[in-house]
Every structure is written in structure tokens, then in C-alpha cells.
């Protein structure tokens, strides 16, 4: 059996022996875990989505449903996918407007990952015959790779746009 070069000894979310600790009281960046990017000099896009997202309307308490997608170009860190899922679960009983949610998620991802670029897409299910999609975006402007990253992001958005029509 071969073993990857991924550094995983510090990760807690996967648990010992399959045990997972769920933090359902409120979403916070402490739920997200990251591991080192083995290719920090090579800008590449990571896309991770959660199609079973739910939270609560702060006015009515009714559930909102949607898909949350996070796209990012990592610098030194990559999000561990199970912690991403658990982070999304933490929103189930959280009351907030969709616009606030997408921006809070972006702030949390940037805090934990410090990526070269990150975009959170909140694709919320229609309610009252109204679709609401929220896109929040961040660029690490002080990076020496800023111009290269902008080009890659532009190409990524064009490519994704071709396949979503």
C-alpha cells in the first residue's frame, strides 16, 4: 500500500475509530479544519458543494433550503471535506438572511484557509416563487500571484458558466 504526502495527524473531525463530534449549536470557523497544500506554488481551483443546506428565516423561523458551493484557489491550506460538511450542518438551526449567510461563510473560510481567492455561492431554493442566489467573493490582493489568480478565476468562471446553462 502506498501513502500520500498529505499531513493529516492534526485533523480531529474524522474522529478516532469513526467517531465524529457534531457541533450543532452554531456555525463558527472553529468547526472547519485544514491541511497543508502540497502545491502552494501552483494555483488551482478547488470546488466543494453541499446540496443539502438548510437554515432558518430570522423572521418566520421557516426553513430555507439550498446548495452552498465554495470555490477557492488555496495558498497554504486546504479545507478538510468532512469538517466542511459539519460546518454546513451547524447552520440547520441558525436564523439569518441568505445574504448574511453567504458573507459569513466567506469570512469564515478566509479566516481558516487564507486562500488566494474564494467565492461562496448560495443557490437557495425558491420560496414564494422567488429564486435567490448570493455570490460573495474574496481575492488575496497582497499575493505575488494576484494577477495570475485573477486570470485563472476568469477562465474558471467562463468554463463553469458553459456547463451550467
Amino acid at each position: 500500500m502506498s501513502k500520500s504526502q498529505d499531513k493529516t495527524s492534526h485533523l480531529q473531525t474524522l474522529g478516532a475509530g469513526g467517531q465524529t463530534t457534531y457541533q450543532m449549536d452554531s456555525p463558527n470557523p472553529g468547526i472547519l479544519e485544514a491541511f497543508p497544500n502540497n502545491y502552494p506554488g501552483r494555483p488551482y481551483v478547488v470546488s466543494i458543494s453541499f446540496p443539502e443546506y438548510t437554515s432558518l428565516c430570522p423572521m418566520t423561523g421557516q426553513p430555507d433550503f439550498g446548495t452552498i458551493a465554495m470555490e477557492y484557489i488555496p495558498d497554504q491550506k486546504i479545507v478538510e471535506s468532512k469538517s466542511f460538511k459539519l460546518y454546513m450542518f451547524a447552520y440547520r438551526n441558525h436564523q439569518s438572511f441568505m445574504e448574511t449567510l453567504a458573507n459569513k461563510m466567506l469570512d469564515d473560510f478566509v479566516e481558516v484557509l487564507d486562500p488566494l481567492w474564494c467565492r461562496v455561492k448560495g443557490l437557495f431554493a425558491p420560496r414564494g416563487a422567488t429564486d435567490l442566489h448570493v455570490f460573495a467573493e474574496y481575492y488575496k490582493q497582497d499575493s505575488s500571484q494576484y494577477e495570475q489568480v485573477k486570470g485563472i478565476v476568469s477562465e474558471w468562471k467562463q468554463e463553469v458558466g458553459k456547463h451550467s446553462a
Side-chain angles (χ1 to χ4, degrees):
M1 173 180 10
S2 66
K3 181 104 169 129
S4 78
Q5 59 190 2
D6 296 321
K7 312 270 186 291
T8 59
S9 61
H10 68 285
L11 297 176
Q12 300 295 311
T13 302
L14 293 175
Q19 297 290 59
T20 301
T21 301
Y22 294 91
Q23 298 178 22
M24 301 296 284
D25 51 339
S26 70
N28 67 77
I31 298 170
L32 294 167
E33 291 189 321
F35 59 91
N37 178 10
N38 289 324
Y39 302 95
R42 178 188 303 156
Y44 59 96
V45 176
V46 176
S47 179
I48 184 169
S49 65
F50 189 74
E52 299 176 1
Y53 177 83
T54 62
S55 61
L56 302 173
C57 173
M59 299 301 293
T60 66
Q62 294 193 340
D64 289 317
F65 300 93
T67 296
I68 302 295
M70 180 182 64
E71 304 164 335
Y72 68 106
I73 296 178
D75 189 359
Q76 300 298 315
K77 300 177 195 170
I78 297 173
V79 72
E80 192 281 316
S81 60
K82 186 168 185 180
S83 75
F84 174 81
K85 176 179 79 170
L86 295 175
Y87 175 82
M88 290 296 147
F89 282 164
Y91 279 93
R92 290 216 173 177
N93 297 317
H94 182 74
Q95 293 184 316
S96 194
F97 288 121
M98 297 169 200
E99 297 86 350
T100 302
L101 295 168
N103 281 283
K104 181 191 180 336
M105 289 175 189
L106 179 65
D107 289 346
D108 289 352
F109 294 141
V110 169
E111 179 182 330
V112 172
L113 300 176
D114 191 26
L116 297 172
W117 168 76
C118 186
R119 177 169 66 168
V120 173
K121 297 190 308 186
L123 309 172
F124 298 98
R127 191 137 67 90
T130 304
D131 277 327
L132 182 62
H133 296 168
V134 181
F135 291 46
E137 189 168 41
Y138 162 85
Y139 282 91
K140 186 178 196 176
Q141 295 187 10
D142 63 349
S143 167
S144 62
Q145 298 173 303
Y146 177 68
E147 291 301 323
Q148 183 183 14
V149 165
K150 278 179 49 178
I152 292 169
V153 169
S154 178
E155 290 176 24
W156 171 255
K157 288 177 180 179
Q158 288 176 11
E159 190 63 32
V160 169
K162 288 179 195 175
H163 299 289
S164 63

